[in-house]
Amino acid sequence: MRTVLVTGPGGAGRTTAAAATALAAAASGHRTLLVSAEAVPGFPAAPEPTRAADGLDHARIDSGEHFRAELTELQNRASGVLDLLGAGRLDGEELTELPGSPQLALLHTLRRAAEGDWSGYDTLVVDLPPLAEALALLALPEQLRRYLRRLLPAERQAARALRPVLAQLAGVPMPAQWLYEAAARKDAELAAVQALIEDGATTLRLVAEPGPAGEDALRTARTGLALHGLSADLLVASRVLPRHSPDPWFAALAAQQEKCLDHWRQDLAPDLPVHEAAHLGRDPQGPDDLAALEIPAPDTRTPGRAGDPWWIEEDPDAEDGALTLTWCLPLPGAVKKDLRLVRRGDELLLTVGPFHRIVTIASALRRCSVSGAALADGVLRVRFTPDPALWPRTS
């Protein structure tokens, strides 16, 4: 299944672009599912896939209902402990969703898609939150899995064989048992979502309105995309005005947009196709208006994420003939003063502006010590020197 993730700065029309992308995919003969947390004019708003057009179904995420269902299930699983503590349970009617619920509901929806709950579709189009939130959301499965491994490592489940005996003596299920079981279950769910995001059939579409605000957001986002190894297949310029207008006010705005688009093509995203979606003079109200935007269907032949973008180079010019390995990561738009790099054990902690990622060091470099790092031409190069105490000796 081809997965297309659509995002852009807030107010740029990303939901409209996502719906138009899904409609174009359906028109090209691919059975398509559009998933969105926002209402799409002219589309049904049911939480389960419902027919919106020929070959196109739409499912709207209900974050409030998901929050209530998850918390109710958690109370049921921990019923023994809650009863022991004399805690009063919360009814679904009195639960109000907390901040972060929409993101968790979207991850749950992606998990359902990854595990085949919605089978039979050729293309899945996902309307993501605004750009900064979307990048954080896409990084969340990897981060949460790391937290689970650190807080509840499977190898530390001591005295597993004694838990049934202890549970009988205490008269309630042992907390450690259900806690580790819940952690294992959540790790499997997060792994499915992470696999979907990192799959070669998954790609990203960016939507922005030509102008200073959109350009600033895209400039910041391209660094975050590169840090997390995400690739985009299209940049949709939304609400593009006609270039020739007798009205001086509209003509000035159109000239500003054209200048911005030229800069996008030449400097900001020279390797990314740009599609200009015309301003309809109104908000799109249904499939006919979406089709008028002429946003192309995703190309099934174009790969999505092509694996981890890191690569390793050997430095032939090292002093004294010592072996030096360089781990390289392209970070377009990164600035040295906003870059922070820390090694801790077998992990590398990277901070680039507002973006943060923790990556596991390649196995070939774990027996080396970091001897330096440099940022040049949009590429971060981290130098590693073999540790004599750990590196295999040669005769």
Side-chain angles (χ1 to χ4, degrees), residues 54-142:
D54 290 340
L56 172 62
D57 292 346
H58 176 236
R60 185 177 180 186
I61 301 172
D62 188 343
S63 59
E65 180 59 31
H66 173 261
F67 174 78
R68 288 187 288 271
E70 286 287 296
L71 193 53
T72 300
E73 181 185 1
L74 178 61
Q75 290 182 127
N76 292 335
R77 291 184 178 276
S79 59
V81 177
L82 293 176
D83 292 342
L84 178 65
L85 297 175
R89 301 191 190 186
L90 297 171
D91 295 328
E93 293 77 9
E94 61 180 311
L95 295 176
T96 302
E97 62 176 310
L98 300 176
S101 300
Q103 290 80 359
L104 295 178
L106 181 53
L107 287 180
H108 172 74
T109 302
L110 292 178
R111 193 265 299 173
R112 292 187 63 184
E115 294 181 347
D117 285 6
W118 293 330
S119 59
Y121 293 102
D122 304 310
T123 304
L124 171 66
V125 180
V126 183
D127 175 27
L128 294 177
L131 196 50
E133 298 176 26
L135 290 175
L137 175 71
L138 296 176
L140 194 56
E142 182 183 54

Side-chain angles (χ1 to χ4, degrees), residues 2 73 91 109 115 120 171 176 206-207 218 224 251 287 297 310 312 317 368 373:
R2 180 69 159 180
E73 181 185 1
D91 295 328
T109 302
E115 294 181 347
L206 298 173
V207 184
L218 291 176
W310 293 87
I312 299 176
D317 300 324
C368 303

Side-chain angles (χ1 to χ4, degrees), residues 62-305:
D62 188 343
S63 59
E65 180 59 31
H66 173 261
F67 174 78
R68 288 187 288 271
E70 286 287 296
L71 193 53
T72 300
E73 181 185 1
L74 178 61
Q75 290 182 127
N76 292 335
R77 291 184 178 276
S79 59
V81 177
L82 293 176
D83 292 342
L84 178 65
L85 297 175
R89 301 191 190 186
L90 297 171
D91 295 328
E93 293 77 9
E94 61 180 311
L95 295 176
T96 302
E97 62 176 310
L98 300 176
S101 300
Q103 290 80 359
L104 295 178
L106 181 53
L107 287 180
H108 172 74
T109 302
L110 292 178
R111 193 265 299 173
R112 292 187 63 184
E115 294 181 347
D117 285 6
W118 293 330
S119 59
Y121 293 102
D122 304 310
T123 304
L124 171 66
V125 180
V126 183
D127 175 27
L128 294 177
L131 196 50
E133 298 176 26
L135 290 175
L137 175 71
L138 296 176
L140 194 56
E142 182 183 54
Q143 293 173 349
L144 291 179
R145 295 187 69 202
R146 180 180 178 275
Y147 296 159
L148 286 174
R149 289 194 298 269
R150 289 291 298 273
L151 296 174
L152 297 169
E155 60 272 13
R156 294 186 182 179
Q157 297 185 46
R160 179 182 299 177
L162 296 177
R163 285 183 189 156
V165 177
L166 296 175
Q168 292 179 3
L169 293 176
V172 296
M174 295 302 291
Q177 182 176 351
W178 67 262
L179 188 60
Y180 276 104
E181 290 175 354
R185 185 172 59 255
K186 288 300 180 183
D187 182 74
E189 294 175 358
L190 291 169
V193 178
Q194 184 179 352
L196 176 69
I197 295 173
E198 297 178 352
D199 190 271
T202 298
T203 191
L204 191 73
R205 285 196 166 183
L206 298 173
V207 184
E209 187 172 349
E215 185 165 330
D216 290 343
L218 291 176
R219 183 180 293 106
T220 302
R222 65 173 180 165
T223 305
L225 291 173
L227 179 63
H228 293 289
L230 298 169
S231 61
D233 72 334
L234 185 69
L235 172 56
V236 178
S238 62
R239 306 188 185 103
V240 177
L241 298 171
R243 285 183 167 79
H244 304 289
S245 173
D247 189 316
W249 190 76
F250 278 105
L253 287 178
Q256 181 183 7
Q257 285 189 340
E258 185 173 5
K259 181 179 179 181
C260 182
L261 288 169
D262 289 341
H263 183 245
W264 287 4
R265 290 188 175 97
Q266 296 175 12
D267 300 318
L268 190 61
D271 300 326
L272 188 61
V274 178
H275 173 76
E276 298 182 20
H279 199 307
L280 301 180
R282 63 185 184 281
D283 292 333
Q285 296 300 317
D288 291 341
D289 286 346
L290 294 175
L293 299 177
E294 299 182 345
I295 295 179
D299 187 353
T300 56
R301 299 168 298 176
T302 303
R305 173 171 174 154

Side-chain angles (χ1 to χ4, degrees), residues 357-380:
R357 188 185 181 191
I358 300 176
V359 294
T360 302
I361 297 175
S363 57
L365 303 177
R366 294 175 191 172
R367 295 171 295 174
C368 303
S369 56
V370 176
S371 56
L375 178 67
D377 300 324
V379 178
L380 173 64

